[in-house]
Amino acid sequence: MFAPLLGKPGSSKNNKTGSWRSFLKPKYLQKNCIACGLCKLICPESCIEGKEKNTFRADLAYCKGCGLCSQICPKKDIEMIKEQE
Ligand code: SF4
Ligand code: SF4
């Protein structure tokens, strides 16, 4: 019944959020990480990978640059930097 109103279903892979990220992106320093996993837990895009200390990183193809990961990191190991850097 609603089919004419809906477009074709897309997936996050087809609609990469990185194409409209804010002017900031996270830089994982990978120096003081304690593998607490908080950044991974809070990321609204679920685009953070990593398990061991100093291995966490964001997949920028999906990151929106919201900065939540940087804010929550207890070791200040994630910097938000300008997109060009
Ligand atoms: S800036 Fe936001 S969207 Fe990007 S990795 Fe961090 S929490 Fe996820
Ligand atoms: S929040 Fe910080 S310390 Fe915790 S896993 Fe992420 S980068 Fe490592």
Side-chain angles (χ1 to χ4, degrees):
M1 162 179 179
F2 296 108
L5 301 175
L6 302 174
K8 287 185 178 178
S11 70
S12 60
K13 287 194 174 182
N14 291 331
N15 302 309
K16 291 189 174 183
T17 51
S19 63
W20 54 277
R21 186 165 53 244
S22 77
F23 63 95
L24 295 174
K25 65 182 177 183
K27 179 180 179 183
Y28 278 68
L29 304 180
Q30 299 187 332
K31 288 181 180 173
N32 301 310
C33 173
I34 55 173
C36 67
L38 287 175
C39 57
K40 199 170 177 177
L41 190 66
I42 203 170
C43 177
E45 294 303 307
S46 300
C47 66
I48 296 172
E49 303 165 348
K51 287 183 180 172
E52 309 294 328
K53 290 179 181 177
N54 299 322
T55 65
F56 285 73
R57 57 175 286 278
D59 184 341
L60 296 179
Y62 304 102
C63 167
K64 289 179 181 167
C66 68
L68 287 174
C69 55
S70 176
Q71 288 292 314
I72 204 167
C73 178
K75 302 303 287 183
K76 305 294 179 206
D77 212 39
I78 310 166
E79 281 182 5
M80 295 304 290
I81 62 172
K82 287 185 183 173
E83 191 68 57
Q84 299 87 348
E85 292 179 4

